[in-house]
Amino acid sequence: MPFPGSGIAKGMATTFRNFFAPKVTRQYPEVRPEIPDRWRGRLDLIYDPFGEHKCEVCFQCAQVCPVEAIDMSGFDSEGNRIRFGMPEIYDERKDANAYRRAGLPARPMRNPARWDEEIDTPFVDGVVDGYGGRPEALIAIFRAIGDRYGYLPERALRRVSDRMSIHWAQVFGAAGLGGFRLLPTEGHLVTVCDCASCRFAGGDRLLNALEEELGIRAGETTADGRFSLEARPDVGAGAISPAMRIDTLVYGPLTVDKALHIVGQRRATASAASRA
Amino acid sequence: MDWELLLGIGRFVLATTLLLLLTVPTAFVIIQMELKVIAGMNLRIGPNRIGPSGLFQSTIHGFKVLAKEDTVPDQADRSTFTLAPWMVYMAAAMSMLVMPFAPGAIAADFNIGIVYFFAVLGLSVVGLLVAGWASYNKYSLLGGLRSAAQMVSYEIPLTLSIVGAVVLAGTLSFSELIAWQREHGWLLIWQPIGLGIFYVASLAEINRTPFDMVEADSELVAGPFTEYSGMRFGFFFFAEYVALFIMSGILASLFFGGYLAPWPFPAQLDGFVGTLWGILWFFLKTYIFVFVAVWLRATLPRVRVDQLMGVAWKLLLPLALVNLFVTAIAVVAFDL
């Protein structure tokens, strides 16, 4: 057992030493911290009051990052964690980045094999060149690629970025927010919004009607695999309740008739595509 | 007309006035010390805006209190509510009457100075109880009862710890006690246990950390002072610091030779120079103990109420009694 009072003595010694130690107070308005010119603070994602990330994966931060240090991933409409950004490491990226910033066409990656397997590179190049490589044609280019693959393969986007010499963040951001599908999925995923706002506005009637129309319950897929139906509260379109999402496109405000009409249209296109 | 009596009355009035005036700068100095010393021990700079290196911070605080609105609760007992701060303050100020600042600089050199001191110091309990009761607030009342329990409990070991020294020196007068210390050495050597008990009990008696649960400003409402504002609260606040000064001064006088220099030379300075010399040593020693109290506050956490009572009744009181008996036996046996 330590001698009684030895703890007090130890504490007293500490405070006494501190009394003569250099002080840590910074006289703020007069003395300001030295911040390097290029310091931009620490990157951090902020949350909304419900604990969800406020980040919408819009890639604007990645676009303005001068050294292309920002990478991002997110969740697709089915809740799968996917990468929208570049899976390569920064060291691989920085050469292309330097070329782009110098206004030069980006050189191929050091290890192009990682990127150019599985996609039809000449096809993608042809589409890009067909639009003259203009950035404002990105959406049209995405449509063309989407028609070919049924979704936008990451590698194709990467190829578009290199070929057009525009920032990959711009390409990925436009693809992600343009409502394009970024992962291969079987058929269409119909999501009826289950949030409070949509349910008050008649979202449950919408769901019942769609269940009847497609012949499946929420959470199931039709026998031919063309449509999956689900009810989720995170469509995030409270202003247009009741809302429904097909793949990545959000529709609303809907009536039962409208919703059935839209789904019917998709069914027609889908069968047309399968015939072609 | 008896000139002797008139002179005595004049001297008394002058001394009490001076003492009352002394309490104000004393409180300012100790509060300033507390601000700066605790800041330093927390690795902060502390107040440094008002005056050279913030020297007038506490003074400004004091005057700020004057400018604040002085509210009285609706149902409060107005007369006692007003009286309570005064009682607490006067208990502190009156006990300064017997404080030996220097040879010849004692306002009233009673032959029972020590008894008077402890009797008057105990009056502040009444003030705190009255404050708690008059506020018409259950928190105030409970705070007042708590403070009364604490102070009454600690008054017993506090007083008993001195009895050993009194038996040894054979006097109840402060000046004679100091004279005894001049001949026999400081009572620190003769009564180390008494000193320890006295120090702990005095911290509790004046509600200093680590025994400041009366106020417990970081976790409770301010005990009996809850309903007080403005200068009435200021009086309680001042009284606390004046009490710290008094306790430090009494500690220095009882156990550390008071106004005596730590070495015998110059053994006897007479007249005005001697008084100044004594005042110098008295204030030096007193402020060393004030510093120690502030230092303790920067270091120690608050103890619990049950620990507080346990220490008083189970540790300090038996120790004080043993100390008293051993001293008494030694005095008889060795004919000290």
Side-chain angles (χ1 to χ4, degrees):
Chain A
M1 196 187 128
F3 188 73
S6 63
I8 294 179
K10 222 165 111 185
M12 298 285 278
T14 306
T15 39
F16 198 68
R17 265 199 310 279
N18 281 353
F19 187 48
F20 297 102
K23 303 295 172 257
V24 295
T25 308
R26 185 183 286 145
Q27 299 286 309
Y28 170 62
E30 288 94 22
V31 182
R32 287 171 188 266
E34 279 186 30
I35 298 172
D37 284 345
R38 300 202 53 154
W39 168 253
R40 293 291 180 272
R42 202 174 123 247
L43 294 179
D44 207 351
L45 291 174
I46 54 175
Y47 292 83
D48 69 9
F50 307 104
E52 293 283 322
H53 270 310
K54 292 184 92 173
C55 174
E56 293 183 326
V57 203
C58 70
F59 280 85
Q60 288 190 23
C61 57
Q63 286 175 33
V64 296
C65 176
V67 291
E68 297 188 6
I70 299 174
D71 199 353
M72 57 186 72
S73 58
F75 292 90
D76 72 348
S77 56
E78 285 169 322
N80 300 315
R81 192 159 193 282
I82 55 162
R83 278 182 94 87
F84 294 91
M86 309 297 290
E88 82 275 2
I89 56 172
Y90 176 67
D91 187 49
E92 285 180 88
R93 189 194 299 158
K94 72 177 187 210
D95 288 349
N97 164 32
Y99 278 106
R100 256 198 304 282
R101 277 186 292 143
L104 301 172
R107 289 247 201 91
M109 299 286 297
R110 281 187 200 162
N111 184 9
R114 237 175 96 181
W115 290 102
D116 290 342
E117 37 200 14
E118 290 180 41
I119 63 157
D120 189 352
T121 312
F123 165 75
V124 174
D125 288 356
V127 171
V128 171
D129 293 344
Y131 285 97
R134 286 176 293 118
E136 55 269 36
L138 261 183
I139 299 297
I141 292 168
F142 290 158
R143 286 221 179 97
I145 296 170
D147 282 347
R148 164 77 187 251
Y149 292 101
Y151 70 104
L152 297 181
E154 226 173 70
R155 297 176 182 85
L157 293 180
R158 168 74 208 199
R159 185 73 201 173
V160 169
S161 163
D162 277 354
R163 188 77 182 172
M164 298 172 74
S165 240
I166 59 176
H167 198 324
W168 61 267
Q170 221 170 330
V171 176
F172 280 87
L177 292 183
F180 290 93
R181 186 184 292 208
L182 294 158
L183 279 187
T185 29
E186 298 287 323
H188 292 291
L189 176 67
V190 180
T191 311
V192 177
C193 188
D194 195 27
C195 74
S197 164
C198 289
R199 284 172 76 160
F200 281 128
D204 47 349
R205 283 203 299 277
L206 217 61
L207 185 64
N208 290 340
L210 288 172
E211 279 177 349
E212 207 168 303
E213 167 76 13
L214 298 171
I216 50 173
R217 311 281 302 166
E220 294 174 353
T221 307
T222 51
D224 58 1
R226 268 196 220 147
F227 287 96
S228 305
L229 185 64
E230 63 171 7
R232 292 168 64 92
D234 57 353
V235 173
I240 50 170
S241 311
M244 169 181 82
R245 183 173 60 195
I246 297 182
D247 300 332
T248 53
L249 287 179
V250 179
Y251 300 91
L254 292 172
T255 58
V256 171
D257 288 343
K258 257 195 212 170
L260 292 181
H261 177 67
I262 292 166
V263 171
Q265 267 185 333
R266 285 299 168 110
R267 180 175 268 172
T269 3
S271 36
S274 66
R275 274 198 302 278
Chain B
M1 200 68 206
D2 192 346
W3 289 107
E4 200 64 12
L5 181 69
L6 264 187
L7 200 69
I9 291 173
R11 186 177 172 281
F12 183 77
V13 169
L14 183 71
T16 43
T17 313
L18 281 179
L19 283 178
L20 271 178
L21 286 180
L22 176 69
T23 56
V24 176
T26 301
F28 284 152
V29 166
I30 298 178
I31 294 170
Q32 181 71 19
M33 206 168 146
E34 185 147 275
L35 291 173
K36 279 304 239 189
V37 170
I38 290 182
M41 287 172 174
N42 291 349
L43 294 179
R44 292 182 288 116
I45 293 175
N48 63 349
R49 299 281 152 159
I50 299 163
S53 32
L55 208 58
F56 300 132
Q57 183 73 41
S58 61
T59 320
I60 286 293
H61 275 329
F63 283 108
K64 173 198 74 179
V65 168
L66 274 177
K68 285 195 161 188
E69 190 190 354
D70 203 356
T71 54
V72 181
D74 225 14
Q75 305 269 331
D77 189 331
R78 199 169 251 279
S79 53
T80 41
F81 188 81
T82 319
L83 208 60
W86 181 81
M87 289 169 86
V88 173
Y89 196 77
M90 283 315 285
M94 275 165 70
S95 53
M96 279 177 91
L97 267 185
V98 290
M99 197 126 143
F101 289 96
I106 306 178
D109 193 3
F110 298 153
N111 56 351
I112 51 157
I114 292 173
V115 173
Y116 168 86
F117 174 79
F118 287 107
V120 167
L121 198 74
L123 276 183
S124 63
V125 181
V126 181
L128 291 176
L129 260 180
V130 164
W133 182 79
S135 295
Y136 200 74
N137 175 335
K138 51 184 170 293
Y139 299 108
S140 295
L141 183 57
L142 285 173
L145 290 174
R146 277 161 56 107
S147 67
Q150 174 176 342
M151 293 177 80
V152 168
S153 298
Y154 273 88
E155 202 135 315
I156 295 160
L158 182 74
T159 315
L160 276 177
S161 68
I162 293 304
V163 178
V166 169
V167 167
L168 205 56
T171 175
L172 279 166
S173 148
F174 275 106
S175 55
E176 279 174 34
L177 197 76
I178 292 169
W180 187 88
Q181 291 187 63
R182 191 201 296 280
E183 278 171 40
H184 297 87
W186 294 357
L187 268 166
L188 158 73
I189 311 156
W190 296 90
Q191 290 280 317
I193 298 173
L195 167 64
I197 298 164
F198 181 85
Y199 193 65
V200 174
S202 69
L203 284 180
E205 181 71 16
I206 58 175
N207 303 325
R208 283 294 297 188
T209 317
F211 304 110
D212 58 342
M213 3 352 219
V214 168
E215 227 184 313
D217 39 13
S218 52
E219 55 214 42
L220 284 184
V221 292
F225 320 139
T226 307
E227 294 291 353
Y228 280 89
S229 61
M231 200 53 213
R232 289 201 187 108
F233 176 76
F235 260 96
F236 284 120
F237 199 68
F238 265 39
E240 229 167 83
Y241 287 96
V242 171
L244 173 59
F245 173 79
I246 291 166
M247 271 301 178
S248 304
I250 293 301
L251 179 67
S253 301
L254 287 178
F255 292 99
F256 293 86
Y259 48 69
L260 300 177
W263 57 87
F265 174 81
Q268 284 282 10
L269 279 172
D270 288 331
F272 190 60
V273 182
T275 306
L276 279 187
W277 182 246
I279 283 179
L280 172 77
W281 278 107
F282 174 80
F283 274 95
L284 192 69
K285 288 173 186 176
T286 302
Y287 273 99
I288 286 175
F289 291 118
V290 170
F291 177 83
V292 171
V294 175
W295 181 13
L296 273 170
R297 180 168 179 176
T299 309
L300 295 182
R302 194 171 296 129
V303 300
R304 293 197 315 263
V305 164
D306 58 317
Q307 292 171 329
L308 176 93
M309 289 299 171
V311 167
W313 295 103
K314 292 183 196 157
L315 181 69
L316 294 185
L317 182 59
L319 256 182
L321 285 173
V322 167
N323 182 50
L324 171 59
F325 284 126
V326 168
T327 311
I329 289 166
V331 165
V332 172
F334 303 109
D335 198 19
L336 288 168

